[in-house]
RNA sequence: GCGGGCGUGGCGGAAUGGCAGACGCACCAGACUUAGGAUCUGGCGUUUCACGACGUGGAGGUUCAAGUCCUCUCGCCCGCACCA
């Protein structure tokens, strides 16, 4: 074999071979347990970055390891290929978005192949391909049939830069998640998916996701934001209307001193019409409405309001309470109106202070001596109800229930569950997406495109300008169509779908990527799904991961398969950092994977990235660390090369019990390593410690070679074969090459994982730590398996121990066999 | 404010309650060499000539024994945040 390790030669050779042999193609096989490992598919921006390399390296180790363990492994890759950047490239450089996207895919696929990733390329999907988006459209129609897709006019998030609306999940701190520009509210008619209908199940089933990180589940829980309480009404006799309020604290209802409405509340105008307060209220409402989402919802913004001049009737007491309009009530949550209870809600307390509204104590804290006069803040805890008519004296927790019962009995209100989660706004005023398959007919209204007419193809002859309407609206051949119902002239919907829809079901398509009659065959999905291990960045904790869960539940309810949750185990990998910051063009700290591969090879890149940190943690890029990984592979190459072509590697049977001491030690290290690596990969995904123990094995081989030039026949073969197999998932090319050079003809990646031999790791002597008062004072080597009493007496025979114990009184002796003796003296 | 995570050598990071710092990087020394930024061998927490003492953000506690368990506290990171 070649004396020098030349990664480029080795890697190209085996990549070609794997592709030719279709080494990683997968079919259903009921003889073996199935395992589905999936990395979040990328947006084809054109080039892989280190975050991708990390993501795919992690997945590839899992895939290759599981395969060697005997699993039937599905490990696919594809492209989240619709989206804005393609369109921006078109606008900026006049390139066709489809061409731009397909070129990028070709380049990134090449880069992935150069990383030696074990994908089943026959299953590749691209969401922008008509064979794929046909089924995305089919999904839309399914949602429509089930009443889960609907159109409504609402105040929606509008991104001025992207010229499109956004779902709530895509607005981060009042800014667009993609371009970071400030989002404004616009009244528009848009398509929504009724995700709120699934809110409870999305929340409930989180409990079963034992393999998900706690923080992702918490984030979803917060996002769904379930709260329980009551909704009830205050009469406004003057205008014969009711104000409905929502509260989680019905037990504080006797503390109400005012009612507040959101500025957008439909009753505001009705209430103030013709009153002297009208002018001031209208001015206030206008001012608040014009504020940006950020300043509007910031907790720092001072609570402000105006009195409408109108009063409502308290349903319990019959008292008149003033109606105010304020900036701290949101129209989108609950009913857009709130009862003000200053004594027991800090926001109301602040508001009451500012406008000198009365405060009434209705929950007495356990200390029992609070009065409004002595309180300096609202009391939001629990306690005893006071000043609450017949409810006084009750503890407030049971009071909630009793108040609700009263409301229901008197027909004033009812118990209600509320969610922070809103319906998913799915239409986008953009070109490069899956067209929404709907038609507008003057006679028939909104008509879905018949499924047999799918896909609704994206036209290619598109012109871009920075207008405000959807680009598709300007393509007459696209817009004009005939109504599927009556045949008259009709217009197509010109919005496209949020790309998160495309990515909400791709993992199903992988199980049956070429199906031309259905999005997937349910038997195939049921065989492969759920994904056993999903790997990706935590930035999708709510977005993609929530939508995907929603989709899965809808498809299950539609009877398309029987999977309730898509991703059994989720690994959220950390970011790749350099000089303390995330790699980014603007920071100028980007290291290109292609350069690293060209210089050191893919195996080095993979080993470095997996060795430098555990997968969940952020990874600090280090050029010297890469050198270290490269050095390790060279060291491996040399030590294996040293034995290649020698008798050491002949496939002789041998008797491990005949080995000498050095040889037994080498064999012991091998088996300890097998155990450690198996545990580190299989149980904890601690790839960094797995690699470190493989390094120790290589070090042990060097140490052995120093001790003796020749080895018993068969031993080196066992060690080399084991070593290569253990490293194969991490560094697939170099191990494949060395395997062929030294062990056998077939691919190492089709081998079975090495088996740990318990007998091999047995030792006959063990070091015992001798402690006095918990401090290490001596160490002794003793035969393995000594009992506590023997150990204890041996400990006391040591000179050092005698000396230190001599004039003291032994209080206690703790013996941990195989480990230590601790003598407690006074 | 609420929720989650993290604090260990010069650095990345290891440690089922049982010898803190595995492995790697950097650094130092030796060997080999015309040469070495290659390779091999060894050293490498702080302090002390040494015995030893000290050491896992800080302060307490439990324990024969604590990086690990408990209480409090400081710092950093992430998520959510006027959600009634």
């Amino acid at each position: 074999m070649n004396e020098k390790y030349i990664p480029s030669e080795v890697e190209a050779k085996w990549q070609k071979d794997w592709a030719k042999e279709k080494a990683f193609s997968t079919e259903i096989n009921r003889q073996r347990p199935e395992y589905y490992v999936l990395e979040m598919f990328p947006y084809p921006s054109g080039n892989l970055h280190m975050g991708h390399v990390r993501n795919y390296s992690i997945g590839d180790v899992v895939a290759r390891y599981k395969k060697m363990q005997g699993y039937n492994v599905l490990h696919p890759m594809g492209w989240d290929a619709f989206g804005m950047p393609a369109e921006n490239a078109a606008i900026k450089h006049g390139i066709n978005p489809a061409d731009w996207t397909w070129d990028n895919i070709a380049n990134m696929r090449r880069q992935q192949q150069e990383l030696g990733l074990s994908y089943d390329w026959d299953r590749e999907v691209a969401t922008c391909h008509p064979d794929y988006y046909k089924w995305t459209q089919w999904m839309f129609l399914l949602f429509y049939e089930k009443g889960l897709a609907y159109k409504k006019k609402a105040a929606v998030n509008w991104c001025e830069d992207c010229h499109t609306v956004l779902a709530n999940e895509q607005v981060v701190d009042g800014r667009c998640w993609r371009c970071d520009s400030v989002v404004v509210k616009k009244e528009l008619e848009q398509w929504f998916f009724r995700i709120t209908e699934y809110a409870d199940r999305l929340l409930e089933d989180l409990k079963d996701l034992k393999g998900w990180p706690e923080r992702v589940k918490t984030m979803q829980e917060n996002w769904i934001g379930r709260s329980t309480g009551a909704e009830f009404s205050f009469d406004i006799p003057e205008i014969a209307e009711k104000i409905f309020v929502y509260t989680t604290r019905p037990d504080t209802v006797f503390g109400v001193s005012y009612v507040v409405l959101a500025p957008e509340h439909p009753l505001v105008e009705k209430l103030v019409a013709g009153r002297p307060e009208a002018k001031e209220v209208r001015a206030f409402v206008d001012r608040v409405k014009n504020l940006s989402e950020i300043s509007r919802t910031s907790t720092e913004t001072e609570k402000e309001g105006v009195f409408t001049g109108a009063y409502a009737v308290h349903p319990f007491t019959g008292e008149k309470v003033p109606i105010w309009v304020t900036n701290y009530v949101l129209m989108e949550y609950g009913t857009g109106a709130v009862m003000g209870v200053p004594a027991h809600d800090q926001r109301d307390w602040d508001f009451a202070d500012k406008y000198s509204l009365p405060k009434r104590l209705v929950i007495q804290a356990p200390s029992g001596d609070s009065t409004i006069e002595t309180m300096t803040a609202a009391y939001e805890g629990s306690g005893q109800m006071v000043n609450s008519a017949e409810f006084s004296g009750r503890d407030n927790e049971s009071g909630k229930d009793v108040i609700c019962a009263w409301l229901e009995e008197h027909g004033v209100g009812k118990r209600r569950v509320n969610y922070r989660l809103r319906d998913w706004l799915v239409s986008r005023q953009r070109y490069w997406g899956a067209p929404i398959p709907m038609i507008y007919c003057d006679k028939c209204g909104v008509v879905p495109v018949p499924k047999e007419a799918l896909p609704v193809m994206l036209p290619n002859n598109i012109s871009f300008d920075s207008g405000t309407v959807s680009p598709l609206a300007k393509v007459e051949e696209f817009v004009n169509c005939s109504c599927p119902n009556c045949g008259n002239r009709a217009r197509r919907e010109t919005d496209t779908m949020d790309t998160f829809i495309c990515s909400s079901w791709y993992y199903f398509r992988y199980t049956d990527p070429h199906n031309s009659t259905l999005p997937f065959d349910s038997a195939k999905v049921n065989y492969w799904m759920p994904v056993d291990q999903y790997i990706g960045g935590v930035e999708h904790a709510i977005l993609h991961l929530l939508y995907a869960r929603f989709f899965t539940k809808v498809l299950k309810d539609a009877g398309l398969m029987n999977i309730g949750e898509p991703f059994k185990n989720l690994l959220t990998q950390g970011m790749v950092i350099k000089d303390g910051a995330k790699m980014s063009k603007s920071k100028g700290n980007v290291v290109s994977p292609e350069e690293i591969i060209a210089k050191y090879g893919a195996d080095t890149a993979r080993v470095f990235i997996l060795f430098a940190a555990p997968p969940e943690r952020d990874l600090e890029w280090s050029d010297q660390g890469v050198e270290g990984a490269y050095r390790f592979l060279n060291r491996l190459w040399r030590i294996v090369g040293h034995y290649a072509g020698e008798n050491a590697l002949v496939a002789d049977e041998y008797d491990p019990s005949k080995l000498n001491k050095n040889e037994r030690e080498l064999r012991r290290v091998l088996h300890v390593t097998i155990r450690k690596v198996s545990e580190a990969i299989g149980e904890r995904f601690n790839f960094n410690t797995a690699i470190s123990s493989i390094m120790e094995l290589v070090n042990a081989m060097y140490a052995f070679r120093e001790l003796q030039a020749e080895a018993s026949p068969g031993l080196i073969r066992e060690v080399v074969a084991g070593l290569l197999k253990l490293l194969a998932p991490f560094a697939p090319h170099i191990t494949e090459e060395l395997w062929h050079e030294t062990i056998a003809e077939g691919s190492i990646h089709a081998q079975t994982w090495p088996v740990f031999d318990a007998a091999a790791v047995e030792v006959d002597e063990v070091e015992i730590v001798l402690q006095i008062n918990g401090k290490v004072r001596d160490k002794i080597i003793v035969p393995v398996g000594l009992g506590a009493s023997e150990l204890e007496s041996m400990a006391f025979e040591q000179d050092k121990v005698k000396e230190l114990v001599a004039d003291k009184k032994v209080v206690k002796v703790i013996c941990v066999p195989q480990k230590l003796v601790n003598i407690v003296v006074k």
Side-chain angles (χ1 to χ4, degrees):
Chain A
M1 66 182 262
N2 200 336
E3 205 167 305
K4 200 161 180 286
Y5 167 47
I6 303 168
S8 53
E9 285 176 14
V10 172
E11 295 184 354
K13 173 177 161 191
W14 293 112
Q15 283 160 13
K16 232 170 99 188
D17 185 73
W18 296 333
K20 197 181 89 210
E21 302 291 326
K22 289 193 181 293
F24 307 108
S25 79
T26 308
E27 281 312 319
I28 286 179
N29 174 351
R30 299 192 189 273
Q31 312 303 311
R32 293 195 288 155
E34 59 79 17
Y35 193 90
Y36 187 174
V37 54
L38 181 65
E39 300 111 52
M40 290 180 184
F41 70 165
Y43 178 79
S45 57
N47 280 293
L48 293 187
H49 55 66
M50 281 302 171
H52 290 126
V53 176
R54 189 174 194 196
N55 190 192
Y56 308 147
S57 298
I58 293 166
D60 204 45
V61 171
V62 175
R64 289 176 184 270
Y65 170 73
K66 285 287 174 183
K67 188 175 176 205
M68 290 176 83
Q69 289 253 309
Y71 287 86
N72 188 29
V73 173
L74 176 58
H75 187 212
M77 182 40 67
W79 311 98
D80 188 11
F82 273 136
M84 291 273 312
E87 229 167 307
N88 292 339
I91 294 165
K92 215 168 158 187
H93 307 294
I95 314 162
N96 178 286
D99 295 344
W100 183 86
T101 303
W102 289 111
D103 284 351
N104 286 348
I105 287 175
N107 194 48
M108 286 174 79
R109 186 196 297 117
R110 177 186 57 78
Q111 292 173 333
Q112 287 173 331
Q113 284 165 342
E114 283 173 5
L115 277 169
L117 303 167
S118 62
Y119 296 130
D120 180 352
W121 285 106
D122 292 340
R123 292 174 185 266
E124 181 181 1
V125 301
T127 59
C128 67
H129 196 288
D131 289 348
Y132 185 93
Y133 71 71
K134 170 181 178 176
W135 299 112
T136 306
Q137 292 171 337
W138 188 94
M139 298 278 168
F140 189 99
L141 295 175
L142 177 79
F143 275 60
Y144 185 74
E145 281 164 26
K146 303 286 175 193
L148 294 168
Y150 67 97
K151 208 173 184 189
K152 77 167 175 195
K153 191 164 188 181
V156 296
N157 307 304
W158 174 264
C159 173
E160 203 56 63
D161 267 25
C162 298
H163 283 295
T164 187
V165 295
L166 296 168
N168 283 328
E169 290 79 11
Q170 294 153 22
V171 180
V172 181
D173 293 333
R175 291 169 180 276
C176 172
W177 71 296
R178 215 174 246 291
C179 73
D180 211 39
S181 58
V182 173
V183 167
V184 297
K185 287 281 180 194
K186 259 195 175 183
E187 277 289 316
L188 289 171
E189 195 174 6
Q190 296 290 318
W191 285 98
F192 289 85
F193 277 179
R194 223 179 276 282
I195 191 169
T196 52
E197 192 149 300
Y198 282 74
D200 253 335
R201 275 167 68 191
L202 288 168
L203 182 67
E204 199 54 34
D205 293 352
L206 282 175
K207 294 190 185 77
D208 301 327
L209 295 175
K210 302 270 176 354
W212 278 42
E214 214 48 53
R215 68 171 177 145
V216 174
K217 288 192 276 187
T218 308
M219 283 164 76
Q220 291 212 357
E221 212 175 293
N222 289 344
W223 188 259
I224 295 166
R226 184 182 198 269
S227 74
T228 54
E231 180 180 313
F232 65 96
S233 60
F234 288 74
D235 284 332
I236 319 169
E238 287 175 80
I239 58 166
E241 288 278 5
K242 293 170 189 290
I243 295 178
F244 285 88
V245 298
Y246 171 73
T247 178
T248 56
R249 293 295 303 273
D251 53 313
T252 64
V253 72
F254 284 85
V256 171
S257 40
Y258 60 98
V259 172
V260 259
L261 304 177
E264 294 86 353
H265 199 285
L267 282 180
V268 172
E269 187 47 41
K270 239 178 159 170
L271 281 171
V272 299
R275 285 183 195 281
E277 289 86 353
K279 203 177 154 198
E280 200 192 338
V281 171
R282 285 177 191 142
F284 176 77
V285 167
D286 282 346
R287 184 160 62 80
V288 175
K289 273 187 177 171
N290 283 332
L291 287 176
S292 75
E293 193 68 6
I294 305 171
S295 49
R296 176 99 186 251
T297 56
S298 160
T299 37
E300 262 103 82
T301 307
E302 199 183 343
K303 289 162 190 41
E304 286 184 274
V306 282
F307 178 45
T308 59
Y311 290 85
V313 178
H314 191 292
F316 285 82
T317 64
E319 277 176 73
K320 276 173 69 182
V321 294
I323 305 171
W324 286 65
V325 176
T326 177
N327 61 348
Y328 78 91
V329 172
L330 307 174
M331 191 59 220
E332 301 89 62
Y333 186 79
T335 57
V338 168
M339 63 181 201
V341 185
H344 304 290
D345 182 296
Q346 191 56 44
R347 295 159 299 183
D348 298 343
W349 177 281
D350 296 343
F351 192 75
D353 269 351
K354 177 160 179 163
Y355 296 105
S356 308
L357 292 160
K359 297 170 183 157
R360 185 183 297 179
L361 184 80
V362 292
I363 306 290
Q364 181 58 261
S367 59
D369 52 6
S370 299
T371 62
I372 289 294
E373 289 69 34
T374 58
M375 285 165 75
T376 53
Y379 177 67
E380 296 180 339
S382 45
Q384 195 183 51
M385 291 174 71
V386 293
N387 301 323
S388 300
E390 72 262 37
F391 304 98
S392 294
R394 200 173 255 296
D395 80 275
N396 76 307
E397 288 306 323
S398 73
K400 286 179 183 171
D401 204 52
V402 178
I403 297 280
C404 286
W406 188 96
L407 290 169
E408 282 163 357
E409 220 171 278
H410 292 76
V412 185
K414 56 180 193 294
R415 284 162 230 264
R416 181 170 159 185
V417 176
N418 233 322
Y419 300 93
R420 217 183 66 103
L421 181 72
R422 305 291 141 76
D423 276 343
W424 176 11
L425 198 173
V426 295
S427 40
R428 296 289 179 272
Q429 291 69 48
R430 303 300 316 191
Y431 162 72
W432 192 234
I436 292 173
M438 287 289 166
I439 289 171
Y440 301 101
C441 169
D442 286 340
K443 212 171 115 201
C444 310
V446 181
V447 184
V449 173
K451 284 184 180 166
E452 22 339 322
L454 295 180
V456 175
M457 294 286 286
L458 262 183
N460 219 352
N461 55 332
I462 191 86
S463 69
F464 295 99
D465 54 43
S466 43
T468 46
V469 288
S470 305
L472 285 178
K474 289 174 279 183
V475 184
E476 286 191 19
E477 312 88 274
F478 178 84
V479 176
N480 298 322
C481 63
S482 56
C483 170
N485 229 4
C486 67
N488 285 337
R489 287 188 48 171
R491 292 170 299 110
R492 281 190 196 283
E493 167 67 63
T494 56
D495 282 357
T496 53
M497 287 182 237
D498 182 1
T499 56
F500 280 101
I501 295 180
C502 309
S503 57
S504 289
W505 71 281
Y506 76 104
Y507 43 91
F508 290 119
R509 183 68 179 176
Y510 281 143
T511 67
D512 192 12
H514 307 295
N515 197 325
S516 56
T517 55
L518 280 171
F520 48 77
D521 177 71
S522 60
K524 290 184 179 171
V525 166
N526 290 339
Y527 172 79
W528 288 112
M529 290 290 292
V531 171
D532 292 277
Q533 186 62 56
Y534 199 30
I535 305 158
V538 74
E539 66 273 16
H540 284 111
I542 341 203
L543 290 155
H544 164 60
L545 290 168
L546 186 67
Y547 297 146
R549 294 182 60 223
F550 168 50
F551 249 74
T552 302
K553 289 175 195 308
V554 172
L555 299 184
K556 184 187 179 194
D557 289 353
L560 292 172
M561 42 73 181
N562 57 24
I563 305 300
E565 281 288 340
F567 313 122
K568 194 170 166 207
N569 296 293
L570 174 69
L571 176 77
T572 49
Q573 91 206 41
M575 289 186 296
V576 181
I577 304 280
K578 187 157 187 280
D579 310 321
K582 186 181 176 172
M583 281 190 185
S584 74
K585 275 190 208 127
S586 58
K587 298 227 174 57
N589 59 351
V590 176
V591 179
S592 123
E594 213 151 8
E595 275 171 43
I596 296 296
I597 292 170
K599 195 165 171 197
Y600 302 100
D603 284 341
T604 292
R606 294 168 56 128
V607 167
F608 165 71
I609 256 181
L610 294 164
F611 176 67
E616 303 84 355
R617 237 193 269 188
D618 285 350
L619 181 152
E620 174 77 33
W621 185 265
S622 154
D623 291 330
Q624 287 167 331
V626 178
E627 291 275 357
Y630 185 58
R631 207 173 297 156
F632 164 64
L633 294 181
N634 275 288
R635 225 166 123 74
L636 169 79
W637 183 272
R638 281 191 302 271
I639 194 72
V640 174
H642 171 77
Y643 290 109
E646 296 209 1
N647 298 337
L649 289 166
V650 293
D652 279 347
E653 287 290 315
Y654 79 106
D655 181 356
S657 67
K658 300 259 164 60
L659 297 176
N660 69 30
K661 193 167 171 247
N662 295 335
E663 293 168 341
R664 274 206 312 278
E665 176 57 17
L666 179 61
R667 187 161 185 269
R668 192 186 67 81
V669 175
L670 169 67
H671 283 273
V672 166
T673 308
I674 292 172
R675 184 176 58 194
K676 279 195 197 162
V677 174
S678 306
E679 280 173 9
I681 305 182
E683 291 168 28
R684 284 169 288 138
F685 286 174
N686 286 348
F687 306 127
N688 54 333
T689 57
I691 293 172
S692 80
S693 49
I694 297 171
M695 287 171 169
E696 287 180 88
L697 175 56
V698 169
N699 292 346
M701 289 178 73
Y702 275 86
F704 177 81
R705 193 180 60 173
E706 288 288 303
L707 291 169
Q708 57 186 76
E710 301 274 321
S712 293
L715 169 67
I716 296 298
R717 186 182 168 85
E718 184 192 358
V719 173
V720 168
L723 165 67
L724 293 177
K725 284 183 185 182
L726 292 177
L727 190 61
F730 302 95
H733 309 90
I734 189 174
T735 50
E736 182 82 301
E737 175 73 12
L738 292 174
W739 177 265
H740 281 77
E741 287 289 343
T742 58
I743 308 292
E745 283 304 305
S747 171
I748 191 172
H749 304 293
Q751 304 298 313
T752 56
W753 191 248
V755 179
F756 160 67
D757 176 3
V761 302
E762 275 174 19
V763 285
D764 27 64
E765 289 181 324
V766 62
E767 191 183 64
I768 303 290
V769 171
L770 304 184
Q771 296 182 332
I772 291 170
N773 289 344
K775 302 214 177 213
V776 181
R777 292 304 180 201
D778 204 358
K779 292 169 188 179
I780 51 173
I781 309 280
V782 305
V784 81
L786 282 193
S789 58
E790 291 158 292
L791 271 181
E792 187 176 330
S793 49
M794 283 186 78
F796 279 103
E797 279 163 28
Q798 302 307 308
D799 291 343
K800 197 142 186 205
V801 174
K802 280 183 190 160
E803 192 184 308
L804 286 161
V805 171
D807 54 340
K808 306 226 170 61
K809 192 179 155 210
V810 175
V811 180
K812 196 172 181 181
V813 180
I814 288 103
C815 274
V816 183
Q818 322 300 334
K819 282 230 171 77
L820 63 74
V821 178
N822 186 11
I823 300 165
V824 186
V825 296
K826 244 198 296 203

